[in-house]
Amino acid sequence: MMRLFPLYLFANFFLVVFAVSDSFADQTITLKAIAAADEEFRQFYGADWRSHIQRRIKEASEVFATNFNIRFELTDTVEWVSKEVSPNAINDMNELYEDLEDQILSKSDSIVIGFMKQEPKSTTFIGTLGATRGFGCHILVRDFDLTDDKKVELLRKKVVLVHELARIFGAFSVNDPQSVMSFDSLSLGFDHQNRRVIELTRDKVDCEQGAWAIDAILGKTISDIFNEGHAEKAENPILKAWDHLALDEYNSAHWEAFSELVTRCIVADPKNPLGYYSFAATSYDRGLFDDAIFWCNQVIERDRNYQDVQKF
């Protein structure tokens, strides 16, 4: 039986990959941004809420300008009527992030930065202060103090925004306490791995294509950088982004696009079970049980405890 696996994609990886030039330092990239603030945020800061957001984005932009010659230009600030999350929510940030995506649409050339001040309702994610889908165009930050130290909390808010903005370029969590991409970090520096990733993707932010803008060769390079070292719970940013797009393509019955994206995941990191699991689950869903068993065995070879693979 024919497997859902376009082997022709492997041919791309016999191409020679040249080092990226350092010339990016001479080319300023400006990303436009729309800011949205929820009711609690606007009420807390009163008539000054727009200028507060302008200051926050300007401070974050200066960090990226210094490190990568990337600037963020605020083009509009809008009101966001955010949903009221249930007190029993497993992850209130995820619910609010999806609400932001649904209500405040990004433009082809503009990212969306959501500012919220709803207090955490999810006990298991009480310390979560930001949410961003890697290579996506929506960023959500929670304006919430973890301590009574105002100076520390002002710095933390700046760190959280820079951390989340970095994710649109594919940055991932690391253990280096001197990196802004470290959990609980109060540093605005970048570790060498994430610096390399952002240098490679600084001109790839595309609010129409999303992770499609990252081709297979660049994606493998990002995956290799990730596998050099990362925080324990960190997820491979490009694999996660491609897999999310693949699910959208599958739900739209775009089988070839789905297959290409999942194949990219497997080629970028053959040891990661994510891509194999996607083929297993969708084959099972379509009644292709022989294929489902084949891909399920591939998952088990890599991680027999991966998600609910044992159901097959």
Side-chain angles (χ1 to χ4, degrees):
M1 182 178 292
M2 186 70 175
R3 307 291 180 199
L4 297 173
F5 197 74
L7 297 177
Y8 69 86
L9 289 177
F10 280 104
N12 289 334
F13 290 89
F14 289 100
L15 297 175
V16 178
V17 182
F18 294 96
V20 177
S21 169
D22 290 334
S23 62
F24 80 87
D26 300 324
Q27 304 168 3
T28 299
I29 288 180
T30 300
L31 295 178
K32 296 179 181 179
I34 300 168
D38 75 351
E39 308 95 311
E40 290 83 354
F41 186 96
R42 300 194 306 272
Q43 290 171 9
F44 183 84
Y45 290 103
D48 196 40
W49 70 270
R50 283 189 167 86
S51 60
H52 183 83
I53 285 176
Q54 290 171 350
R55 177 180 59 79
R56 295 268 295 274
I57 293 177
K58 181 180 179 181
E59 289 177 348
S61 179
E62 289 171 354
V63 174
F64 281 91
T66 299
N67 285 277
F68 306 105
N69 213 359
I70 299 170
R71 295 187 179 278
F72 294 92
E73 176 189 344
L74 182 62
T75 59
D76 197 9
T77 51
V78 299
E79 297 182 359
W80 167 34
V81 182
S82 61
K83 68 180 290 186
E84 187 67 28
V85 178
S86 166
N88 300 319
I90 296 176
N91 188 337
D92 61 341
M93 285 297 285
N94 276 356
E95 289 190 28
L96 288 163
Y97 182 83
E98 291 173 358
D99 185 61
L100 178 69
E101 283 187 309
D102 291 341
Q103 289 199 46
I104 313 297
L105 301 179
S106 61
K107 298 179 180 179
S108 60
D109 63 345
S110 299
I111 63 172
V112 172
I113 306 174
F115 292 85
M116 57 164 284
K117 206 164 178 63
Q118 281 193 40
E119 292 193 4
K121 295 188 173 65
S122 169
T123 56
T124 55
F125 290 85
I126 189 112
T128 304
L129 299 178
T132 306
R133 184 172 289 122
F135 303 102
C137 284
H138 283 78
I139 294 113
L140 177 60
V141 292
R142 191 199 298 277
D143 195 271
F144 181 75
D145 293 345
L146 298 179
T147 71
D148 294 327
D149 190 323
K150 292 184 178 180
K151 186 175 181 179
V152 168
E153 294 308 321
L154 283 174
L155 174 58
R156 193 192 310 279
K157 289 178 175 63
K158 185 175 180 179
V159 167
V160 169
L161 181 53
V162 171
H163 177 104
E164 297 302 331
L165 285 168
R167 290 195 180 278
I168 69 175
F169 303 100
F172 52 87
S173 297
V174 295
N175 292 319
D176 182 353
Q178 300 304 313
S179 173
V180 71
M181 298 311 297
S182 172
F183 291 117
D184 300 323
S185 172
L186 287 176
S187 169
L188 289 166
F190 285 87
D191 58 282
H192 73 281
Q193 288 171 271
N194 279 306
R195 184 175 292 280
R196 288 161 59 198
V197 168
I198 296 174
E199 288 172 357
L200 288 167
T201 62
R202 61 192 292 275
D203 62 345
K204 302 298 182 184
V205 177
D206 189 319
C207 292
E208 289 186 344
Q209 294 192 73
W212 273 113
I214 308 298
D215 63 36
I217 294 175
L218 177 55
K220 186 176 190 317
T221 301
I222 294 168
S223 183
D224 289 343
I225 294 172
F226 172 82
N227 286 329
E228 290 174 8
H230 51 80
E232 182 180 356
K233 296 182 180 180
E235 296 182 273
N236 188 314
I238 188 58
L239 266 60
K240 185 177 180 181
W242 278 340
D243 190 65
H244 179 82
L245 278 181
L247 180 60
D248 288 342
E249 298 290 1
Y250 178 80
N251 290 333
S252 299
H254 299 155
W255 313 122
E256 290 186 8
F258 162 78
S259 187
E260 178 181 345
L261 286 163
V262 177
T263 300
R264 286 188 186 186
C265 291
I266 292 174
V267 175
D269 187 356
K271 295 181 180 180
N272 192 306
L274 183 148
Y276 306 97
Y277 182 85
S278 291
F279 274 140
T282 52
S283 295
Y284 183 86
D285 182 61
R286 296 175 66 190
L288 303 174
F289 300 120
D290 288 344
D291 278 358
I293 292 171
F294 172 83
W295 292 115
C296 182
N297 287 332
Q298 299 300 312
V299 175
I300 292 172
E301 285 181 15
R302 289 153 181 85
D303 182 358
R304 66 173 45 253
N305 297 315
Y306 188 76
Q307 296 195 30
D308 53 354
V309 68
Q310 296 296 337
K311 78 176 184 181
F312 296 108

